[in-house]
Amino acid sequence: MRYGRHLARDRRRSAHTVRAYQATAERLLAFLRGHLGGPVGEAELKALSATDLRAFLAHRRSEGLGNASAARELSAVRGFLAYVGGEGASLPRVKGPRVKKGVPRPISPDEAIALAEDVSEDAAEPWIAARDWAVLLLLYGAGLRIGEALGLTGAVLPLGEAIAVTGKRAKTRMVPLLPPVREAIEAYVRLNPWGTARDAELFRGAKGGPLAAGVVRRSVRAARVRLGLGDRTTPHALRHSFATHLLGRGADLRALQELLGHASLSSTQVYTAVDAAHLLDVYRNAHPRA
């Protein structure tokens, strides 16, 4: 589908986003063939009204779509119609469902380190233990997404005070490395039996291939059960904790936006709610009249 190629090549969307947006476009076309009673081409798509889009959303809601998923579906439809209409296209105005924003749930510094230690201690071999320790410290100590950490290659070596990280939409940012994080990566590199070619993934699986995110998630899931931590203790929760703890120590919101690789400041501002929630918890637990 040309739309998928456009998303991947011109918009530099991830493979996951391309699949999701293509699937939405195909669902829309299938619905419109029945809704309009005939073939659907470029002319029909350009002539769609807000009523047509509301009918599609109602159809998707009847299939069990929740508010958040319906909002994402509408966003994908708008993107597809903008592609079909070309630059300056006028799109039907449809108000999306209201979505209640969830507040990220960070874990405490002690829990973050205990989690990383437990995952490392459960590893089958010393080099795997060093690998897992280094990966989880990158999430908690540098705020990387799991995909960003596993996307690092041997080109980041030798390590300096910061590393270049490629995030969403292929945007690159510089992320400072705290000494413990740098030391953890260097310890893994010394033990890694598969080498560190510049064009190969830095973190390897047990058989030498690229380390899969699912392996990390399963290890974290097992560790949180052993430690009695909640279900929200995931690899991504370590990134939330990085952001929340920095904000709690007085980090500037704009600087935090750069560190996290957020395209919009509104994505970073959610952590102000996290910090406020933490302060309220402290107040409730400590104040004699709370």
Side-chain angles (χ1 to χ4, degrees):
M1 193 176 187
R2 284 182 300 170
Y3 180 50
R5 290 194 294 272
H6 160 72
L7 289 172
R9 184 187 62 239
D10 303 329
R11 301 298 303 278
R12 306 173 95 179
R13 300 287 190 175
S14 69
H16 173 77
T17 299
V18 171
R19 285 194 299 271
Y21 276 42
Q22 272 197 172
T24 294
E26 289 163 4
R27 282 192 293 268
L28 176 66
L29 292 172
F31 168 80
L32 290 175
R33 282 192 286 271
H35 179 67
L36 300 177
V40 178
E42 187 175 308
E44 287 75 19
L45 289 171
K46 288 180 177 179
L48 287 181
S49 67
T51 302
D52 295 324
L53 293 193
R54 280 194 286 268
F56 172 67
L57 280 182
H59 167 70
R60 292 290 287 135
R61 294 299 291 267
S62 72
E63 296 179 332
L65 222 61
N67 279 3
S69 297
R72 286 193 295 269
E73 191 89 336
L74 180 58
S75 175
V77 165
R78 285 172 175 149
F80 177 56
L81 295 180
Y83 165 75
V84 172
E87 189 173 350
S90 178
L91 302 179
R93 290 180 175 272
V94 177
K95 190 174 182 180
R98 298 186 68 175
V99 180
K100 183 180 178 182
K101 285 193 174 183
V103 176
R105 297 292 182 86
I107 59 178
S108 72
D110 288 345
E111 288 173 336
I113 297 303
L115 184 74
E117 286 177 341
D118 192 272
V119 170
S120 178
E121 289 168 1
D122 193 57
E125 298 182 44
W127 78 268
I128 294 178
R131 177 201 71 191
D132 292 349
W133 176 251
V135 169
L136 294 180
L137 279 200
L138 272 170
L139 307 189
Y140 176 63
L144 269 60
R145 301 177 178 94
I146 182 68
E148 292 171 345
L150 301 187
L152 295 175
T153 68
V156 301
L157 303 173
L159 297 174
E161 297 296 315
I163 54 171
V165 175
T166 301
K168 290 185 175 180
R169 301 188 186 182
K171 289 186 177 179
T172 300
R173 67 186 189 278
M174 296 303 296
V175 176
L177 286 182
L178 295 171
V181 179
R182 189 164 58 248
E183 290 162 10
I185 298 172
E186 289 171 344
Y188 158 70
V189 169
R190 288 194 297 272
L191 294 173
N192 174 19
W194 304 105
T196 51
R198 288 184 60 81
D199 59 349
E201 285 79 2
L202 180 63
F203 295 108
R204 304 295 189 90
K207 296 183 179 180
L211 176 60
V215 172
V216 180
R217 293 191 181 101
R218 283 193 296 272
S219 297
V220 167
R221 192 158 53 239
R224 80 178 180 222
V225 170
R226 291 191 294 268
L227 295 172
L229 299 176
D231 291 346
R232 290 179 179 268
T233 305
T234 63
H236 204 65
L238 295 173
R239 173 174 156 90
H240 289 323
S241 299
F242 165 84
T244 306
H245 299 158
L246 280 185
L247 193 62
R249 295 289 185 106
D252 175 76
L253 204 58
R254 286 283 182 188
L256 187 58
Q257 178 190 359
E258 291 296 321
L259 284 174
L260 292 172
H262 285 159
S264 167
L265 186 62
S266 62
S267 299
T268 313
Q269 285 173 329
V270 68
Y271 291 104
T272 61
V274 173
D275 195 50
H278 171 69
L279 290 175
L280 188 56
D281 285 341
V282 170
Y283 171 80
R284 285 173 175 161
N285 292 329
H287 198 281
R289 296 192 180 275

